[in-house]
Amino acid sequence: MTPRRTGVPRPTASSAVPRPTASSAVPRPTASSAVPRPTASSAVPRPTASSAVPRPAVPPGTTDHPINPHDIVDYPRPKDGLPEITATATQLNRAAQLLAAGRGPVAVDAERASGFRYGQDAYLIQLRRDGVGTLLIDPVTTGPLTELAAALDGPEWILHAADQDIPCLTARGLKAASLFDTELAARLLGRQHVGLGAVIEETLGLRLAKDHAAADWSTRPLPTSWLTYAALDVELLIDLRDALATELEASGKDQWAAQEFEHVRTKPAKPAKVDPWRKTPRAGSSVRSPRSLAILRELWNSREQLAAELDRTPSKVLPHQALVAAAVARPRSRRKMSALKEFSSRQARQNQERWWRAIERALELPDDELPPTRAPLAPGELPHPRSWQRHHAAAAERLTEVRAAIRQHAEEIRVPQELLLTPECQRHLAWDLGAEIEAGRTGRVTAQEISERLAAMGARPWQIEQAAPALAAALG
């Protein structure tokens, strides 16, 4: 493995980062900032009569001093032209060699076919590294990505909203040794707009086209305009990373960022949901009886199986409203099911027998095998807070105090409150303290005790150091 390159250091045992004061306010970067004034050899050159690719604004914008909207210019296409797609095993081998010989961190992005295909597979992987340029990898046709994985195991990855892409990249065998998340960095800096386009505009003064964000990336061949969009998603990530890293350091939040990046990189995959069929849109307020819930469950499971076989998103196999309509109507025959307008589509008619068999199974279930009207809680899951006031008044009172303290301190240090302490941690802290009060506890809650509780819940050191004193003052 090559040495990790990161402008934001890894978390250390001492992560006490003082809250910025008036003397440590983020200055407007100067010519010595991470993104320098362009020269003839800059990454993004000044436009000429033969080039429509603009230079970045100088100096880079910050949270307090973003680039003026009137100074933002369009960045319509990659400065080096659109690269050829890496689509064969031989091309992949060459791309991996080039990538391994490059310099510095690697900008990474992936495109999926959400809303079109079953699952969240990556259908295009975009990479960019100094000394290499941009690579567009087609993981569908190249075969195993073993050589690419080896080349990527070492350099820092730069992603925007890494938690969205890491699962599909991991599924392809690609794993980061270290990470910089530009979206997370922008949130820690208190940016109001944290989408990639907005952060690039405010920081670099360049406007990217975002025309194909929701496209079906399993389409082959991919249109040129889509590939241009995909290449632009990594074109400026390295410059953006450097500018945000400079601002994080100036604001005293670089250690906070390092801990958050490492948390995103190493956190385990989310466990499977309990009774995911209950989350069918518009089912919660309409489907109430156990028998109706059984119909919803059987139809949902049957649809999932068929969607996986067809590799199509489930809602395109049978619309959500069809599941809900059948669950509410509880048709007693195939004819009555077919009479429902939600079952009149060609796809619904094509698989009519499948849907009726699912409904029939639910209608024939004995009462003791019907699903309960209330969804069971997952391990460690708490009841919804809206029920606390009636049944757990002490916990409800504590939750109000916890939320108020976190909200106030988050505003003081200019980070989103859910980033200072996750809503889940807030609820569990309030729940545990409320249960102890109901059991007879009368002593005050100390900052040390809160720190230990938050650490046991998985809070990062910077979150504990920032949140514990504020919570102790509010709860003591």
Side-chain angles (χ1 to χ4, degrees), residues 196-265:
L196 178 59
V199 179
I200 287 177
E201 288 181 19
E202 293 180 356
T203 309
L204 302 180
L206 300 171
R207 183 181 295 110
L208 301 180
K210 300 296 288 184
D211 297 336
H212 305 294
D216 178 4
W217 289 90
S218 66
T219 300
R220 293 298 183 272
L222 287 165
T224 300
S225 61
W226 296 18
L227 294 173
T228 298
Y229 158 85
L232 288 175
D233 264 359
V234 293
E235 177 95 2
L236 300 171
L237 276 183
I238 296 173
D239 286 343
L240 182 62
R241 174 246 185 262
D242 290 343
L244 294 176
T246 296
E247 189 178 351
L248 285 167
E249 184 175 4
S251 63
K253 296 179 177 179
D254 52 337
Q255 286 293 321
W256 303 2
Q259 294 172 32
E260 287 303 305
F261 298 162
E262 186 67 1
H263 171 70
V264 170
R265 188 186 74 85

Side-chain angles (χ1 to χ4, degrees), residues 280-284 286-287 296 299 319-330 343:
T280 303
R282 293 183 290 278
S286 304
V287 184
L296 179 65
L299 278 173
H320 299 311
Q321 55 265 37
L323 274 65
V324 175
V328 171
R330 286 184 281 180
F343 281 79

Side-chain angles (χ1 to χ4, degrees), residues 164-204:
Q164 296 182 20
D165 288 336
I166 282 180
C168 70
L169 293 168
T170 300
R172 294 287 187 184
L174 307 179
K175 296 182 180 180
S178 62
L179 177 69
F180 190 105
D181 187 331
T182 51
E183 190 256 4
L184 195 46
R187 293 176 64 204
L188 281 167
L189 289 167
R191 300 283 181 101
Q192 295 299 308
H193 308 287
V194 297
L196 178 59
V199 179
I200 287 177
E201 288 181 19
E202 293 180 356
T203 309
L204 302 180

